[in-house]
Amino acid sequence: MYYIKSKRTIKFNGTPEERYIAKVYRNQDTTLDTIAKEISHATSMSYPDVLLALKAFEIHVSNHVMNGSAVKFGTLGAFIPTIKSKAVRTADEVDDSTIKRVSCRFYPSVAFKKTMKNATLEFKDLSKIKYN
């Protein structure tokens, strides 16, 4: 995994100061199509079969999360639906108008967290990259 140095303006005691932080250098995003090709090369399944299965997988995971279920992926982690809501004084005041946001969070498994914790990090010098 690569990281880059990023300049940020952060307030300290109300005074803005420039500071530098390390950020993940994200390579090009990986698509479902790319993963389907990789799986088809690594198995005896054809690319269209893998792509079809992955699209069905995507739809079913989404449906389960939308129905309020956590979807767990063994050593990878889980997608868990969440809501943010406004605090009110009584239970009778709680209704759908007090919900500010509905979202889904990914929670990595203990094994995946351990793998990420042991990731090899290397600085990526972006000044050496030539743009056309």
Side-chain angles (χ1 to χ4, degrees):
M1 188 180 305
Y2 294 101
Y3 70 93
I4 59 174
K5 298 172 187 177
S6 180
K7 184 169 35 171
R8 294 279 189 259
T9 301
I10 300 172
K11 285 188 180 181
F12 287 95
N13 297 326
T15 306
E17 294 184 25
E18 286 187 354
R19 299 294 167 114
Y20 291 85
I21 61 169
K23 280 181 52 176
V24 170
Y25 173 74
R26 284 185 39 202
N27 285 316
Q28 197 171 9
D29 290 348
T30 302
T31 64
L32 201 61
D33 186 59
T34 300
I35 292 173
K37 287 175 185 171
E38 291 172 353
I39 292 171
S40 73
H41 290 348
T43 66
S44 61
M45 292 177 68
S46 70
Y47 164 76
D49 289 340
V50 174
L51 188 59
L52 184 65
L54 288 175
K55 287 305 285 180
F57 176 79
E58 187 177 54
I59 291 165
H60 286 278
V61 168
S62 177
N63 287 342
H64 284 287
V65 171
M66 292 296 292
N67 287 325
S69 296
V71 179
K72 298 181 179 184
F73 297 105
T75 59
L76 188 59
F79 286 96
I80 299 174
T82 63
I83 58 172
K84 265 283 201 228
S85 64
K86 182 171 65 173
V88 291
R89 293 187 188 277
T90 67
D92 289 339
E93 294 176 85
V94 175
D95 61 20
D96 58 347
S97 71
T98 62
I99 297 171
K100 295 178 182 180
R101 182 179 62 218
V102 178
S103 62
C104 178
R105 296 220 36 208
F106 173 74
Y107 293 90
S109 70
V110 172
F112 191 61
K113 279 184 193 177
K114 187 176 178 181
T115 300
M116 292 297 292
K117 184 178 179 181
N118 295 323
T120 302
L121 298 168
E122 186 178 325
F123 175 65
K124 183 79 164 180
D125 188 354
L126 297 180
S127 66
K128 295 179 182 179
I129 296 176
K130 303 244 190 255
Y131 296 99
N132 294 332

